[in-house]
Amino acid sequence: MKIVHCSDLHLGKRVSGNKDYVNKRYRDFFIAFATFVDKVRELKPDICIIAGDIFDKKEINPDILSKTEYLFKQLRDSVKKEIIAIEGNHDNARILEESWLEYLQEQNILKVFYYNKDFEEKNYLKIDDVNFYPVGYPGFMIDETLTKLSEKLNPNEKNIVIVHTGISGRTNTLPGLVSTSILDLFKDKAIYIAGGHIHSFTTYPKEKPYFFVSGSLEFSNIQNEKSDKKGFILFDTDTLDYEFIEIKHRKRIKKDFSYTNFSDLENEFENFVKDLNLTGEEILVISMSVNN
């Protein structure tokens, strides 16, 4: 069985800036998802996994819903068996009567799963010879939740876990991240753990990884995201081979300036911009500091 895994689409995200920039960046997230859909159409996988944060916010407007529904219908036609999605922290709708993810499920576009205390029984799907456990977003309950699930899994079966989390560490301090000691519990019990939440491609452990974070399809935080690579993962449940497939996105250029004389900084910045030959379609991330 072939599976594609993406996460953190953040459809409908609005950044700050002038009107032209805001509108371009709003479209970028839909363009990235459309590019992903085109790639999936070529690959024709059996399963598509979306590991959380389909939307950037719990409340969406008609334009966001219309664009999202259109692209998801195309995606549905490109996947042989099922689209399996979980709720992330951004599209968590517990304060609302109903999630917009539920609407997409009612249109028979995807199957969506939410974290709940009975997730082991409710969040389970068997397709062919693979058991899927879509956990959702446990938040601060992440360690307890995954420990509980690890005790249930049969190592003699093909188990895939879907959870909106990344690996905790010195630079990753978001709530809802998991420690490697918890992930170690799934060694020989899960052939693939589909993660999200963190926007850069990550695998664990280094040798023969079974935990994967695909990263976001578009820059959600243009300044703090380390990697310039955006894409998704293709995984084969029979061979356990995986491939990170990069997709094109708006070019990001980063530059740090630090001077003791403001006039020097201004002159070099002007020369730097001239040498870039910008087309107006790039994202330019500039950090400036003047030391007195």
Side-chain angles (χ1 to χ4, degrees), residues 39-283:
K39 291 284 188 180
V40 173
R41 187 180 295 112
E42 296 173 8
L43 294 169
K44 296 180 173 60
D46 299 287
I47 303 291
C48 175
I49 291 173
I50 305 178
D53 284 355
I54 288 177
F55 295 115
D56 188 61
K57 292 184 178 180
K58 305 169 183 66
E59 301 87 1
I60 63 174
N61 62 34
D63 184 68
I64 296 171
L65 181 60
S66 175
K67 286 180 169 63
T68 300
E69 187 172 3
Y70 172 76
L71 290 171
F72 263 101
K73 285 180 177 178
Q74 290 189 325
L75 179 62
R76 184 68 192 89
D77 292 339
S78 304
V79 176
K80 293 179 182 177
K81 296 183 183 295
E82 202 68 73
I83 300 174
I84 305 173
I86 60 171
E87 185 183 57
N89 59 303
H90 274 257
D91 39 29
N92 184 292
R94 293 174 188 170
I95 61 172
L96 303 176
E97 291 184 1
E98 188 172 279
S99 167
W100 285 108
L101 300 180
E102 193 71 25
Y103 169 80
L104 296 176
Q105 180 167 259
E106 290 172 356
Q107 304 307 306
N108 296 316
I109 294 173
L110 50 73
K111 288 188 183 299
V112 62
F113 295 85
Y114 311 88
Y115 173 71
N116 57 73
K117 64 179 181 178
D118 302 319
F119 73 92
E120 308 106 307
E121 289 76 27
K122 293 181 178 179
N123 295 12
Y124 171 76
L125 197 62
K126 188 176 182 67
I127 302 176
D128 295 345
D129 63 340
V130 180
N131 303 317
F132 292 88
Y133 294 88
V135 176
Y137 174 65
F140 68 91
M141 295 291 290
I142 183 68
D143 286 358
E144 179 181 334
T145 299
L146 291 186
T147 298
K148 189 176 180 182
L149 180 59
S150 70
E151 295 168 353
K152 178 188 174 108
L153 300 186
N154 184 341
N156 297 317
E157 296 183 355
K158 292 180 179 178
N159 300 310
I160 291 181
V161 177
I162 309 169
V163 57
H164 191 67
T165 191
I167 298 176
S168 60
R170 292 180 179 178
T171 58
N172 292 334
T173 57
L174 288 172
L177 297 178
V178 67
S179 65
T180 55
S181 61
I182 298 297
L183 292 176
D184 289 340
L185 300 175
F186 290 86
K187 179 176 170 50
D188 301 324
K189 287 191 172 185
I191 61 171
Y192 193 95
I193 303 176
H197 206 22
I198 299 298
H199 292 179
S200 299
F201 172 61
T202 307
T203 63
Y204 178 84
K206 186 175 181 180
E207 300 295 332
K208 297 181 179 179
Y210 51 85
F211 176 74
F212 298 83
V213 175
S214 61
S216 57
L217 294 177
E218 178 54 60
F219 293 108
S220 183
N221 188 322
I222 59 172
Q223 186 169 0
N224 294 334
E225 292 179 33
K226 292 183 179 181
S227 175
D228 282 326
K229 292 184 178 181
K230 295 295 179 184
F232 63 98
I233 300 168
L234 175 65
F235 178 74
D236 191 313
T237 62
D238 295 321
T239 65
L240 306 187
D241 292 331
Y242 74 91
E243 177 185 2
F244 178 78
I245 299 176
E246 191 172 358
I247 63 172
K248 292 182 179 180
H249 53 77
R250 192 182 297 277
K251 186 178 181 181
R252 181 181 66 163
I253 303 170
K254 298 182 71 175
K255 178 70 174 179
D256 297 326
F257 292 92
S258 179
Y259 288 93
T260 54
N261 188 307
F262 185 78
S263 60
D264 291 340
L265 187 153
E266 188 176 11
N267 291 334
E268 179 157 342
F269 177 71
E270 289 180 357
N271 293 330
F272 167 71
V273 173
K274 288 178 182 178
D275 292 340
L276 287 177
N277 296 316
L278 297 174
T279 65
E281 297 302 315
E282 302 86 353
I283 299 174

Side-chain angles (χ1 to χ4, degrees), residues 12-18 21-23 25-26 29 219-220 222:
K13 184 175 180 64
R14 291 280 188 181
V15 300
S16 59
N18 64 55
Y21 176 72
V22 169
N23 289 336
R25 293 294 290 134
Y26 173 78
F29 291 87
F219 293 108
S220 183
I222 59 172

